[in-house]
Amino acid sequence: MTFRTPLRLGSLAAGILIAVAVHAQPVFDAPANGFKGKLSARSENPVAGGKAEIIGSDFVPGQKVELLRGDTVLTAAPLTVDGNGQFKTELAIPADAMPGQHPLVARASSPAAAAVTTLRVSPQLALSGQDRFSSSSNKLVQGLYQSAYSAASDAVFVTSAVGRPPVTQSQLLKVDPATLQVVKAITPAKVPGGKGDSVFAVYGVGVDDANGNVWVTNTRQDTVAVYRQSDLSLVRQFDVGSVPHARDVVVDSVHGKVFASATGEDHLSVFDARTLEPLEAITLASGVDDGKFVPMSLVLDEQAGKLFTVSIGTPEAAVIDVASGKVDKVIALGNASSASGVAYDAARGRLFVASQGSDNVLIVDVAAGTVLHDVPVGAGALNVAFDPVAGLAYVSNRGAGTVTVLDPDGKVVGNLAGGTFPNHVRADGKGNVFAVNKSKGAEDPEGDRITRIALRQP
């Protein structure tokens, strides 16, 4: 058969690991009114030649299920739904599968019903350009999430958090940017009335060099906190619920404002950087019918007084005037699925948008509001940073385990090994980019590392 996104897909029958006997059934059996079956496809790195896990839930116990791509049946024999209404199997993605979104159908009988999901096949870029870049790496603590460089302290502040709620293991680190050694580390305070020994785990991070502070997001408690850069002492812990599912935080020292993305909602929370008091939030209206602009990453152009963010809920980016707190424009992105990362090239007025669901980076002319380049970079393109010294964008591809380096016109100038689950990249404005990655566990030698990357000088 062919998988075309045209995805060309060879026979998939060999990739189905679960098989049961086929039995005859009537064309019309019990009606499927009220059927709630769901189908999903999961893979950290769903590339041609790889594997994906296909999961069914809320089916009817005992149902027989066949998987189809178009008219082709992918199962060697029907699967049987277990007593909990579930089934699970592994699908081998053919080596000739083309990158793209591919619909899969679960066709059930006894009673007759169907469910549909999309299998994403990601582009796979070979490693390249390693000789053009220098790098140095150090293992820190488990659960690294983001980093931010402070010129005033000449330090990199790194957040870490392990596991799902109640999160009991989290640290804020102060790291020497030259040696990549930890200078200071603290564990956030326990959550009053929280489950178990849960703490105000830290995720997003931004630096305020004007006031000597470092801001963090406490995503699990829907809030933010402020620490002193010098000794990581707590300056203020905001109340639970202050910023719903807080993700990123950036500080505009020129206007003395702090912005935090309320992921899941349609706004940015705003604070006074000096008084630490809340200001009026910025609502982000989507241009998509019935769509909701759900902000993710934030990037600031302090000189121009502009703030940029992207929506994970709709294929859009927003440009915000920092002084007025008003949205200048919302830009339609087109081929951006689950956009999460954003970076800005101020010299050229270009926005870089990394999208987890479409495995690509879009390069956008902000003034014109148009997409100039659509660059496939690898599975799970999560975050992106722009280094103004070399004029290059660095993309962390969580699923692919790579950091892809692009020039302003979308040419791939390097595709570097990023270790296990590359999570975040941040430029220091001096020609260095700091990349942090997560791990498969505390003993993973390629995980929980901070890496300093720079273009080699000729």
Side-chain angles (χ1 to χ4, degrees), residues 400-413:
T402 57
V403 174
T404 305
V405 188
L406 307 175
D407 74 8
D409 295 317
K411 178 183 177 182
V412 176
V413 298

Side-chain angles (χ1 to χ4, degrees), residues 254-339:
V254 174
H255 297 90
K257 294 181 178 180
V258 181
F259 303 89
S261 52
T263 301
E265 301 299 325
D266 63 351
H267 69 269
L268 303 180
S269 295
V270 188
F271 301 88
D272 186 298
R274 184 180 62 82
T275 66
L276 310 184
E277 292 302 315
L279 302 174
E280 183 179 357
I282 299 172
T283 299
L284 301 159
S286 173
V288 177
D289 289 344
D290 299 321
K292 180 179 180 180
F293 195 112
V294 180
M296 288 286 282
S297 292
L298 304 171
V299 67
L300 182 70
D301 179 2
E302 273 195 332
Q303 185 172 357
K306 303 297 179 183
L307 177 67
F308 306 90
T309 188
V310 291
S311 170
I312 196 171
T314 55
E316 297 174 297
V319 184
I320 300 157
D321 180 76
V322 174
S324 66
K326 304 298 182 183
V327 178
D328 282 347
K329 65 168 65 175
V330 173
I331 301 172
L333 296 176
N335 185 32
S337 175
S338 298

Side-chain angles (χ1 to χ4, degrees), residues 125-135 392 394 402-406 411-417 453-457:
L125 278 65
L127 296 181
S128 64
Q130 295 92 328
D131 58 331
R132 299 190 61 184
F133 298 88
S134 62
S135 67
L392 298 174
Y394 292 71
T402 57
V403 174
T404 305
V405 188
L406 307 175
K411 178 183 177 182
V412 176
V413 298
N415 193 46
L416 313 177
I453 309 171
L455 184 68
R456 291 186 187 276
Q457 297 303 315

